[in-house]
Amino acid sequence: MDWPVTYTRKVRYSDTDAQGIVFNGNYATYFDDTVTDLFDAIGYEWTHVEVVLARMEIDFRSPARLGETLVTGARVERIGNTSFTVRLETWEQSSGRTVAEAKQIQVTVSGNDFEPVPVPDDLVAAIESCARSGREMTTRSR
Amino acid sequence: MDWPVTYTRKVRYSDTDAQGIVFNGNYATYFDDTVTDLFDAIGYEWTHVEVVLARMEIDFRSPARLGETLVTGARVERIGNTSFTVRLETWEQSSGRTVAEAKQIQVTVSGNDFEPVPVPDDLVAAIESCARSGREMTTRSR
Amino acid sequence: MDWPVTYTRKVRYSDTDAQGIVFNGNYATYFDDTVTDLFDAIGYEWTHVEVVLARMEIDFRSPARLGETLVTGARVERIGNTSFTVRLETWEQSSGRTVAEAKQIQVTVSGNDFEPVPVPDDLVAAIESCARSGREMTTRSR
Amino acid sequence: MDWPVTYTRKVRYSDTDAQGIVFNGNYATYFDDTVTDLFDAIGYEWTHVEVVLARMEIDFRSPARLGETLVTGARVERIGNTSFTVRLETWEQSSGRTVAEAKQIQVTVSGNDFEPVPVPDDLVAAIESCARSGREMTTRSR
């Protein structure tokens, strides 16, 4: 699949809990870290509109353990009227085993009153340009 | 609503991020902390079966800020064949404002091979007993 | 000992790591959470000066485990020229076992240029008043 | 300075707090993450002895902000009778600005009763070998 950005994290003690696996709450952090990188890659000037996380769905596919390396990919999957959907996946680097999958609904709001506003055309263009570069990057590098 | 357990957390710097609000990933931690208390309240001996978090859905309703106090309630909402659903809600203590709502799918698995197994009858009984005591507790205390 | 504020935290999965004990880095968070409460209790208006954490020393005395309840106390121990020292201790609630001890050097800085400034007289007075109320509270409640 | 291992972390929202800078408690996590890598690099079989963190001292030199990249280096500085000292430093990658410095006292204990034991000769040898490779690596790469 095409991921314009990926975030790599080796699992250390700080990621784990007393069950010996990555603490489930930490995946939300991996996803936010990756989405920050995605927004940087989109390279949009957030002057008029801001983005608010409205909803997140996470499917936990398999546990991850100390010393494994987790890679999380993020991309915009669908652009709606006043929101867009970010698709995320975390896999174990050496085996490719899927560890978690997620979906985020990001709502575009006015920087003044935080009311939902339509996704601006130039943001749509920036997202599409980022997706294309991800596709090309993926094609080149794998 | 009836919450057999509630978990109270005053928002401090460690909960917030550079946007000045509670970091979205921390809600997954509040939910896990509360569900740990819920499982303690259910008081089940997890000898034959264990529970694995398979899916979580979070709706972010309003941001929370430094100094606010967040209360998270958890209860089992529905018991399926090999899983049950935990309903969660976080609200601001003084205003009652809803901050986040969530749903977790917890799968019962065999302690031997971690394959899904039917929710045992005595676990169903323990969950229902806990739900009743929550209802009574709520009736008494509010 | 006299603690004007104490912060209580039941150890849950999110506090622990794969060694089955509270992750060492989390004590720094407990200390910050407690110091936030201490500064609230001091009740000072931080308009002209701000406070910057310059140094922290932590002695880890014994590990803490899932289900134990940790209490952290904080008090100002010594007021210097441009800084003051906060003394912290974490103990297990039911046994009183010392879990960690710490010391923080907090430097008073100008809100304009963040250069160190003498601890203002009214901050000294507020700290001393808070310490006295802690002593009285302790005397009354134990 | 010679660092056999370095750990690189770009500062994202999850690292920061409402003051807009990296939350002080997170440095303890960066240090633990780096020391885990250091112990991996030392490559010792922890069969007879284990290591327990007994004391940590942190000096906070300058705040770090969203988007900066922090590098943390770790090395064993001094080997005592039943303990050794790990020296740590965190700096901002592009400017080289020192952000935090720290020292950890790690005590070697018996895996049976967790009582302090002398640092084994083969652990001393592994630490010294790791330090040499760090020095050579540094010489080559900078």
Side-chain angles (χ1 to χ4, degrees):
Chain A
M1 201 174 286
D2 299 332
W3 302 106
V5 298
T6 55
Y7 163 74
T8 301
R9 166 87 190 159
K10 183 179 141 193
V11 177
R12 295 183 184 80
Y13 282 102
S14 61
D15 299 81
T16 60
D17 70 14
Q19 292 188 304
I21 57 177
V22 170
F23 175 65
N24 71 69
N26 286 340
Y27 291 100
T29 300
Y30 302 157
F31 297 146
D32 193 87
D33 287 354
T34 312
V35 168
T36 299
D37 290 358
L38 177 64
F39 285 3
D40 285 354
I42 289 172
Y44 187 67
E45 289 284 331
W46 304 97
T47 45
H48 305 302
V49 297
E50 299 196 27
V51 155
V52 169
L53 177 61
R55 180 176 168 83
M56 179 156 52
E57 302 171 12
I58 309 176
D59 288 293
F60 301 93
R61 299 299 186 196
S62 69
R65 294 180 186 282
L66 205 64
E68 289 190 325
T69 295
L70 299 180
V71 185
T72 300
R75 63 189 167 82
V76 176
E77 187 177 64
R78 190 189 149 274
I79 302 175
N81 186 27
T82 62
S83 69
F84 55 91
T85 304
V86 178
R87 171 67 58 178
L88 294 133
E89 185 178 330
T90 300
W91 62 92
E92 200 278 313
Q93 188 173 45
S94 63
S95 64
R97 186 184 87 242
T98 300
V99 169
E101 292 176 279
K103 204 171 86 171
Q104 290 185 342
I105 310 291
Q106 301 274 1
V107 175
T108 45
V109 296
S110 160
N112 296 323
D113 57 8
F114 279 79
E115 288 298 306
V117 293
V119 183
D121 287 346
D122 54 353
L123 176 55
V124 173
I127 289 171
E128 289 176 347
S129 165
C130 176
R132 267 194 308 277
S133 73
R135 204 140 48 223
E136 287 156 16
M137 198 176 62
T138 303
T139 310
R140 277 201 305 274
S141 68
R142 288 190 183 177
Chain B
M1 200 176 286
D2 299 332
W3 303 106
V5 297
T6 55
Y7 163 72
T8 301
R9 166 86 191 160
K10 183 179 139 191
V11 177
R12 295 183 184 80
Y13 282 101
S14 60
D15 299 82
T16 60
D17 71 13
Q19 292 187 306
I21 58 176
V22 170
F23 175 66
N24 71 69
N26 287 339
Y27 290 100
T29 300
Y30 301 157
F31 296 147
D32 193 86
D33 287 353
T34 312
V35 167
T36 299
D37 290 358
L38 178 64
F39 286 3
D40 284 353
I42 288 171
Y44 187 67
E45 289 284 332
W46 304 96
T47 45
H48 305 302
V49 296
E50 298 196 28
V51 155
V52 169
L53 177 61
R55 181 177 168 83
M56 178 155 53
E57 301 171 12
I58 309 177
D59 288 292
F60 301 93
R61 299 299 186 197
S62 69
R65 293 180 185 283
L66 205 65
E68 289 190 325
T69 295
L70 299 180
V71 185
T72 300
R75 64 191 166 80
V76 176
E77 186 177 64
R78 189 188 149 275
I79 302 175
N81 185 27
T82 60
S83 69
F84 56 90
T85 304
V86 178
R87 170 68 58 180
L88 293 134
E89 186 179 330
T90 300
W91 62 92
E92 200 279 313
Q93 188 172 44
S94 63
S95 64
R97 184 185 88 243
T98 300
V99 169
E101 292 177 279
K103 204 171 85 171
Q104 290 185 341
I105 310 292
Q106 300 275 0
V107 175
T108 44
V109 298
S110 160
N112 295 323
D113 57 7
F114 278 80
E115 288 298 307
V117 294
V119 183
D121 287 345
D122 55 352
L123 176 54
V124 173
I127 289 170
E128 288 175 348
S129 166
C130 175
R132 269 196 305 278
S133 72
R135 206 140 49 221
E136 287 156 15
M137 199 175 62
T138 304
T139 310
R140 276 202 305 274
S141 67
R142 288 188 185 179
Chain C
M1 199 175 287
D2 299 333
W3 302 106
V5 298
T6 55
Y7 164 73
T8 300
R9 167 87 190 159
K10 183 178 140 191
V11 177
R12 295 183 184 80
Y13 282 102
S14 61
D15 300 82
T16 60
D17 70 15
Q19 292 187 305
I21 57 177
V22 171
F23 175 66
N24 72 69
N26 286 339
Y27 290 100
T29 300
Y30 301 157
F31 296 146
D32 194 86
D33 287 353
T34 312
V35 167
T36 298
D37 290 358
L38 177 64
F39 286 3
D40 284 353
I42 288 171
Y44 188 68
E45 289 284 331
W46 304 97
T47 45
H48 305 301
V49 296
E50 298 196 29
V51 155
V52 169
L53 177 60
R55 180 176 168 83
M56 178 154 54
E57 302 171 12
I58 309 177
D59 288 292
F60 301 93
R61 299 300 186 196
S62 69
R65 292 179 186 283
L66 205 64
E68 289 190 326
T69 295
L70 299 181
V71 186
T72 300
R75 64 190 166 81
V76 176
E77 185 177 65
R78 189 188 149 275
I79 302 175
N81 185 28
T82 61
S83 69
F84 55 91
T85 304
V86 177
R87 170 68 58 180
L88 294 134
E89 186 178 330
T90 300
W91 62 93
E92 199 279 312
Q93 188 171 45
S94 63
S95 65
R97 184 184 89 244
T98 301
V99 168
E101 292 177 280
K103 206 170 85 171
Q104 289 186 342
I105 309 292
Q106 300 275 1
V107 175
T108 45
V109 297
S110 160
N112 296 323
D113 57 7
F114 279 79
E115 287 298 306
V117 293
V119 183
D121 287 346
D122 54 353
L123 176 54
V124 174
I127 289 171
E128 288 176 346
S129 165
C130 175
R132 267 195 307 278
S133 73
R135 209 141 46 223
E136 286 156 16
M137 199 175 62
T138 304
T139 309
R140 277 201 305 273
S141 67
R142 288 190 183 177
Chain D
M1 199 175 286
D2 300 331
W3 303 107
V5 298
T6 55
Y7 163 73
T8 300
R9 166 89 190 157
K10 182 179 140 192
V11 177
R12 295 182 183 81
Y13 282 102
S14 61
D15 299 82
T16 59
D17 70 14
Q19 292 188 304
I21 58 176
V22 170
F23 175 66
N24 71 70
N26 287 340
Y27 290 100
T29 300
Y30 302 157
F31 296 146
D32 193 86
D33 286 354
T34 312
V35 167
T36 298
D37 290 358
L38 177 64
F39 286 3
D40 284 353
I42 289 172
Y44 188 68
E45 288 283 331
W46 304 97
T47 45
H48 305 302
V49 297
E50 299 195 28
V51 154
V52 170
L53 177 61
R55 180 176 169 82
M56 179 155 53
E57 302 171 12
I58 309 176
D59 288 292
F60 301 93
R61 299 300 186 198
S62 70
R65 293 181 187 282
L66 205 64
E68 290 190 324
T69 295
L70 298 181
V71 186
T72 300
R75 63 188 167 83
V76 176
E77 184 178 65
R78 190 188 149 275
I79 302 176
N81 185 28
T82 61
S83 69
F84 56 90
T85 304
V86 178
R87 170 68 59 179
L88 294 134
E89 186 178 330
T90 300
W91 62 92
E92 199 279 312
Q93 188 171 45
S94 63
S95 65
R97 184 184 88 243
T98 301
V99 169
E101 292 177 278
K103 204 170 87 171
Q104 289 186 342
I105 310 291
Q106 300 274 1
V107 174
T108 45
V109 298
S110 160
N112 296 323
D113 57 8
F114 279 79
E115 288 298 305
V117 294
V119 183
D121 287 346
D122 54 352
L123 177 54
V124 173
I127 289 171
E128 288 176 347
S129 166
C130 175
R132 267 195 307 277
S133 72
R135 205 138 51 221
E136 286 155 16
M137 198 175 63
T138 303
T139 308
R140 276 200 307 272
S141 66
R142 288 190 184 177

